[in-house]
């Protein structure tokens, strides 16, 4: 382990999926961000475990190879117990643009850092990882043989080695132009793998209770990581739906709670979302989902409640609010109302009931969400939510803001050529004060969001890989 104050260099091998959630925010936003915590999943996790995102690498672009400085191997291991964006982490012993550069960098790596892993009682194995090229067995053996100058004294054990080393070669991102020689070559000691298998084991396809808008497992874990959810936290989702976001937080040991305006969803009643099933079964509900994954003890409750009229006493209750608000296509944006609230000019239906369902304008919804979060989050607690965006007109000034909440990251997920949704992460940095003064720009994305909603239909259709039926609903707002 590095002596205190000395940062070891590590190599992260990132998964080539959800690239947008790995990248830092745009330079324009950096001054608004918290020092040392200005990015997405890896940065949030490092700040959770007491590390900072420090890197000499100028740009990450879409490369799967990231060089980071981390204070200790323990922090690196903790990071890997949480990340779904990174595949593996290595202690970086050498790096070069060609084999000669790699070898000279390895020769400069302090011998005292290598020896504990190379001594005669140890067993080891060397693996080769190439990105964007496949090597023959002969080429692989050649590369391993070329490392003979390293003081390996242990025995090779291919099945159960104590230490695993890797040569990682980067042939760039263009599958149509694969260079003869790699752009970069790395050598490192493997430390740990990330949590990519969670994406499969928590897949919505195999989940007990699902709806048309159940959040994808990978994104749910990314959101919980952005929210810095940890053991014994209390996490709230005000638009809980089938509780997809609660599951990821409970997996990380947080107690979870949610509300939704839809009685049927909260009680697991009504029409089923799976093909070949008409009605939901007797035990299709959020609690049963948590039970399916052995997480029932983290279930606090879910209630029918309208997010526009939160029924909470004043106070700070939540360590994180993680949510996917409706934007009116696969689920309607609704709120409860009374006859008095129906705007003039709209004829009252004599048969209307009270409470009636009113449209809930998106700008009101995000404004309420930020005010509610600023009031009920603990200091340092995080709000993580999706903001739908009509890309041709989007500017960063349009992201809703609140004086008590600081923007941590703003990552785009493209949905179609004109639409995207942005994963917004904010942190409570000040005691609550009511915020009534809306930024005029904040109204704009909401108008666009209605356009986005319209266009996401196609995307939704293409992405409903969970065997859901697709039921388009009318945009009410
Ligand atoms: C995008 S879905 C959430 C999906 C959820 N993340 C999941 O994994 O199933 C949005 C939810 O917000 C609910 N909703 C709409 N208007 C609401 C309101 N005014 N208050 C509370 N919930 C509302 C809808 O019923 C819907 O279940």
């Amino acid at each position: 382990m590095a002596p205190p104050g000395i940062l070891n260099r590590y190599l992260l091998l990132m998964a080539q999926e959800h690239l947008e959630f790995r990248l830092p925010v745009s330079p324009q936003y950096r001054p608004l961000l918290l020092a040392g915590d200005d990015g997405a999943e890896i940065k949030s996790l490092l700040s959770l475990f007491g590390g900072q995102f420090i890197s000499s690498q100028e740009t990450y672009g879409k490369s799967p190879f990231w060089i980071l400085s981390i204070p200790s191997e323990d922090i690196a291991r903790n990071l890997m117990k949480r990340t779904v964006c990174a595949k593996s982490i290595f202690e970086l012993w050498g790096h070069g643009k060609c084999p000669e550069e790699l070898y000279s960098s390895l020769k400069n790596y302090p011998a005292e850092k290598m020896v504990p892993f190379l001594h005669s009682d140890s067993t080891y194995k060397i693996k080769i990882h190439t990105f964007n090229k496949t090597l023959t067995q002969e080429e692989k053996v050649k590369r391993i043989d070329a490392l003979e100058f390293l003081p390996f004294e242990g025995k090779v054990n291919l099945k159960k080695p104590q230490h695993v080393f890797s040569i990682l070669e980067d042939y760039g991102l263009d599958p149509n132009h694969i260079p003869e020689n790699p752009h970069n070559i790395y050598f490192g000691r493997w430390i740990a793998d990330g949590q990519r298998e969670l994406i499969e084991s928590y897949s919505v396809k195999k989940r007990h209770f699902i709806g048309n808008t159940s959040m994808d497992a990978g994104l749910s874990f990314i959101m919980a990581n952005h929210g810095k959810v940890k053991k014994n936290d209390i996490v709230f989702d005000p638009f809980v739906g089938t509780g997809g976001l609660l599951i990821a937080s409970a997996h990380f040991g947080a107690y979870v709670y949610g509300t939704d305006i839809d009685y049927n969803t909260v009680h697991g009643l009504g029409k089923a979302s799976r093909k070949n099933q008409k009605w939901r079964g007797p035990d299709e509900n959020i609690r049963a989902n948590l039970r399916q994954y052995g997480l029932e003890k983290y279930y606090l409750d879910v209630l029918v409640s309208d997010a526009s009229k939160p029924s909470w006493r004043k106070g700070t209750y939540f360590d994180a609010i993680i949510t996917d608000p409706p934007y009116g296509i696969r689920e309607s944006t609704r709120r409860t109302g009374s006859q008095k609230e129906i705007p003039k000019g709209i004829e009252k239906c004599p048969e209307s009931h009270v409470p009636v369902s009113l449209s809930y304008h998106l700008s009101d919804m995000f404004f309420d969400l930020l005010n509610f979060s600023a009031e009920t989050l603990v200091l340092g607690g995080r709000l993580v939510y999706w903001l739908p965006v009509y890309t041709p007109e989007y500017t960063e000034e349009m992201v809703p803001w609140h004086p008590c909440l600081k923007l941590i990251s703003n990552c785009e997920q493209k949905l179609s050529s004109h639409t995207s949704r942005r994963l917004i992460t904010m942190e409570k940095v000040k005691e609550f004060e009511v915020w009534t003064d809306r930024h005029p720009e904040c109204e704009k994305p909401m108008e666009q969001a209605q356009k986005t909603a319209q266009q996401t239909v196609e995307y939704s259709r293409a992405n409903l890989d969970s065997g859901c039926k697709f039921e388009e609903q009318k945009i009410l707002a």
Side-chain angles (χ1 to χ4, degrees):
M1 187 180 296
I6 307 231
L7 295 172
N8 268 342
R9 285 201 315 161
Y10 292 85
L11 179 72
L12 266 183
L13 175 62
M14 306 300 294
Q16 289 306 90
E17 187 195 25
H18 296 319
L19 303 193
E20 49 286 277
F21 304 111
R22 301 171 354 187
L23 297 172
V25 296
S26 73
Q28 207 183 335
Y29 255 111
R30 289 208 183 108
L32 299 172
L33 302 172
L34 292 179
D37 188 6
D38 62 348
E41 197 211 30
I42 299 297
K43 298 180 179 199
S44 292
L45 291 175
L46 280 175
S47 85
L48 177 63
F49 297 120
Q52 278 192 358
F53 190 87
I54 299 174
S55 170
S56 48
Q57 205 166 322
E58 281 296 303
T59 52
Y60 299 104
K62 292 178 178 168
S63 168
F65 299 101
W66 287 19
I67 299 175
L68 291 185
S69 299
I70 300 180
S72 72
E73 194 168 314
D74 280 349
I75 293 182
R77 285 185 191 280
N78 282 335
L79 170 69
M80 300 314 282
K81 282 183 195 154
R82 290 287 299 257
T83 176
V84 288
C85 287
K87 285 180 168 175
S88 309
I89 196 163
F90 307 85
E91 184 181 60
L92 188 61
W93 287 16
H95 166 218
K97 301 243 170 250
C98 59
E100 293 66 38
E101 253 185 56
L102 171 71
Y103 304 149
S104 88
S105 147
L106 279 170
K107 284 172 190 161
N108 284 329
Y109 192 71
E112 67 275 13
K113 286 190 181 179
M114 292 186 184
V115 169
F117 308 98
L118 304 181
H119 59 78
S120 54
D121 303 340
S122 65
T123 55
Y124 74 95
K125 166 182 173 175
I126 300 178
K127 284 169 89 173
I128 312 245
H129 179 97
T130 49
F131 185 76
N132 199 23
K133 187 167 193 162
T134 311
L135 299 181
T136 62
Q137 193 56 25
E138 199 185 331
E139 287 169 321
K140 288 183 183 174
V141 171
K142 247 189 186 170
R143 280 156 171 77
I144 294 173
D145 287 348
L147 292 175
E148 259 177 9
F149 64 90
L150 287 174
F152 286 110
E153 288 181 5
K155 287 194 183 65
V156 172
N157 181 336
L158 297 180
K159 282 199 173 144
K160 238 184 155 189
Q162 284 170 321
H163 308 299
V164 178
F165 302 93
S166 287
I167 301 168
L168 301 104
E169 295 189 347
D170 179 7
Y171 289 85
L173 297 164
D174 187 351
N176 299 318
H177 296 99
I178 302 172
E180 181 62 26
N181 299 309
H183 299 312
N184 281 290
I185 318 173
Y186 308 88
F187 181 86
R189 176 174 65 90
W190 172 81
I191 290 179
D193 288 335
Q195 303 299 311
R196 300 284 300 160
E197 82 280 357
L198 293 179
I199 297 171
E200 189 49 37
S201 55
Y202 280 87
S203 164
V204 173
K205 285 182 198 164
K206 296 181 256 169
R207 191 167 298 162
H208 196 62
F209 171 48
I210 56 165
N212 290 345
T213 57
S214 292
M215 181 57 71
D216 162 88
L219 291 177
S220 304
F221 283 103
I222 288 174
M223 289 176 81
N225 283 337
H226 280 214
K228 290 169 73 173
V229 170
K230 57 185 187 312
K231 214 170 165 26
N232 296 329
D233 274 358
I234 296 187
V235 175
F236 178 56
D237 181 352
F239 302 98
V240 74
T242 59
L245 298 175
L246 302 188
I247 291 170
S249 290
H251 174 84
F252 294 135
Y255 293 90
V256 292
Y257 182 79
T259 55
D260 198 287
I261 201 169
D262 193 291
Y263 181 93
N264 278 350
T265 305
V266 169
H267 292 277
L269 302 171
K271 279 190 182 168
S273 293
R274 286 184 199 285
K275 283 177 191 156
N276 315 322
Q277 186 187 338
K278 197 155 187 208
W279 302 102
R280 286 184 173 133
D283 199 25
E284 279 189 46
N285 53 48
I286 294 175
R287 184 193 273 274
N289 272 353
L290 287 159
R291 192 181 306 130
Q292 177 184 355
Y293 301 116
L295 301 171
E296 195 177 357
K297 70 171 178 172
Y298 296 113
Y299 177 85
L300 291 177
D301 210 348
V302 288
L303 294 182
V304 179
S305 172
D306 177 354
S308 74
K309 298 186 173 60
S311 49
W312 294 86
R313 269 196 240 158
K314 293 213 175 309
T316 51
Y317 305 108
F318 309 121
D319 298 287
I321 294 175
I322 299 183
T323 195
D324 179 22
Y327 44 98
I329 265 295
R330 286 170 293 159
E331 73 299 282
S332 55
T333 50
R334 285 177 291 142
R335 65 182 180 87
T336 52
S338 74
Q339 295 290 352
K340 284 185 206 148
E341 288 181 74
I342 296 176
K344 281 193 188 119
I346 294 181
E347 268 185 44
K348 284 184 193 174
C349 302
E351 68 276 23
S352 284
H353 297 286
V354 175
V356 296
S357 172
L358 293 183
S359 65
Y360 190 9
H361 197 277
L362 283 165
S363 63
D364 295 329
M365 187 169 67
F366 290 110
F367 182 76
D368 290 348
L369 177 64
L370 263 66
N371 253 326
F372 175 78
S373 304
E375 184 164 15
T376 56
L377 279 172
V378 298
L379 263 184
R382 284 191 170 188
L383 164 67
V384 183
Y385 72 97
W386 289 102
L387 180 71
V389 162
Y390 181 64
T391 36
E393 288 166 24
Y394 168 79
T395 66
E396 284 178 341
E397 287 70 39
M398 293 172 177
V399 176
W401 68 292
H402 190 286
C404 304
L405 301 172
K406 190 155 197 166
L407 183 74
I408 300 296
S409 60
N410 172 358
C411 309
E412 182 186 30
Q413 185 192 27
K414 284 215 179 308
L415 301 180
S416 71
S417 58
H418 283 79
T419 63
S420 64
R421 55 179 180 178
R422 306 195 74 99
L423 184 59
I424 308 290
T425 302
M426 305 184 97
E427 185 165 304
K428 180 164 168 180
V429 289
K430 249 168 79 177
E431 292 299 348
F432 177 62
E433 59 186 78
V434 185
W435 184 242
T436 47
D437 181 17
R438 295 201 207 187
H439 196 288
E441 287 296 309
C442 293
E443 303 294 328
K444 289 189 185 163
M446 310 312 157
E447 289 155 19
Q448 301 169 24
Q450 309 293 347
K451 297 181 198 169
T452 309
Q454 198 66 58
Q455 298 203 9
T456 47
V457 175
E458 286 310 315
Y459 167 79
S460 308
R461 270 202 189 109
N463 282 274
L464 282 175
D465 60 351
S466 53
C468 291
K469 284 182 222 161
F470 182 84
E471 277 179 31
E472 189 179 331
Q473 293 188 20
K474 215 171 97 203
I475 304 176
L476 296 178

